[in-house]
Amino acid sequence: MLWEAGEEVSNSEMENDDNVCLSKTAAGGRGVNVFSCSSSGNDQSSVDHLVVMVNGILGSSTDWKFASEQFVKTFPDEVFVHRSERNAATQTLDGVDVMGERLSHEVTEVIKQKPSLRKISFVAHSVGGLVARYAIGRLYRPPEEKSDDIDYEESTATIGGLVPINFITVATPHLGSRGNKQVPILFGVSAFEKAAVLVIHWIFGRTGRHLFLTDDDGGKPPLLKRMLEDSGDCQFMSALHSFHRRVAYSNACCDHIVGWRTSSIRRNTELPKWQNSRNERYPHIVYEERCKAYDVQQVLTNEELVTGLSRVPWEKVDVSFHDSILRIAAHGVIQVFTISTMYKHIFTYMLNTWTTFNQAL
């Protein structure tokens, strides 16, 4: 490959052997743009779908290198991929809200520089999924009110002025990290989990407080609970609901960082029983589920995070690396780093279901 982790990408276009071009966002912006070299000429009108990829805690843009290139190879005349760089390394410790603000500004700049864009999707790993949820709340614009001057077919909610299509998270702690077995490396030991609540901010800063729901910001509820509602300039749930499709990929086992329950937005009683996958094409996909939106009056009020996020329908895809030599690194393997391209069928599954959904639109 032309560009590997640690190398710089100049503002000019660069091409690798697979007809994939890379460029930096213009005018001093952050992030790496990935697109088909065949669509980089004068006629780019067919490339109208922006795919924003967001890394997790202590991660970087390069974490999505393999995936971004696969997107462009699969949909060369349709997608323009932007790998976010505004929140990398220790910047990911600044808090979900601060990172979300940065991401929203970054996405806005990309949209301004690419006027052919009409649609937008997000693919985010780990904490990046929470950051993306915050950012879309900032970027959300409601449908225009009814008027004789408005074309009703065009009057839809937008994210940054674009039509929201797919919102995909991969091993994201949607319910936070506080609670029994939400951080599997603590082995479900109550004493360890209570101690983590007290010290996590020393390790992961404001982001740690947000994950363990210990932030108060002047007496306000924890941020993850506030993100269950629309509030002021942040229309969190309306933004999430505006996407045509929401998908949560989760590790059913072997993820020592993010527990299965929090990444799949389920209660303990809702975790499915799964058997080893016998699908030769997708050997590590062990369970798929399409969940309808809950009637909020039919669920328990003390389960705010599950309840709130279940007000919109989700597709849930459970993955297992229990028989893999890299199972100890499941939290990263599910994202498909370069080191784990042997598991690229997981991303192939994502691309194939993406194609099926787009054809149904």
Side-chain angles (χ1 to χ4, degrees), residues 54-59 63-64 124-129 169-174 177 182-185 204 211 249-260 262-263 319-322 324 326-337 339-340 343 346:
V54 189
N55 59 269
I57 200 163
L58 299 177
D63 296 347
W64 283 117
H125 177 242
S126 193
V127 172
T169 62
V170 181
T172 289
H174 287 287
S177 301
Q182 296 289 58
V183 182
I185 200 171
F204 293 115
L211 288 173
Y249 283 79
S250 311
N251 278 311
C253 73
C254 306
D255 189 329
H256 301 297
I257 309 300
V258 176
W260 187 16
T262 185
S263 59
V319 178
S320 173
F321 298 103
H322 67 283
S324 166
L326 293 177
R327 58 184 176 274
I328 195 170
H331 187 66
V333 171
I334 193 174
Q335 188 186 10
V336 195
F337 289 87
I339 191 175
S340 58
Y343 304 113
I346 296 171

Side-chain angles (χ1 to χ4, degrees), residues 133 174-175 228 240 265 305-312 314:
R133 278 176 48 201
H174 287 287
L175 311 182
L228 300 177
L240 194 58
I265 316 176
L305 293 169
V306 177
T307 299
L309 289 171
S310 297
R311 285 181 291 170
V312 295
W314 289 85

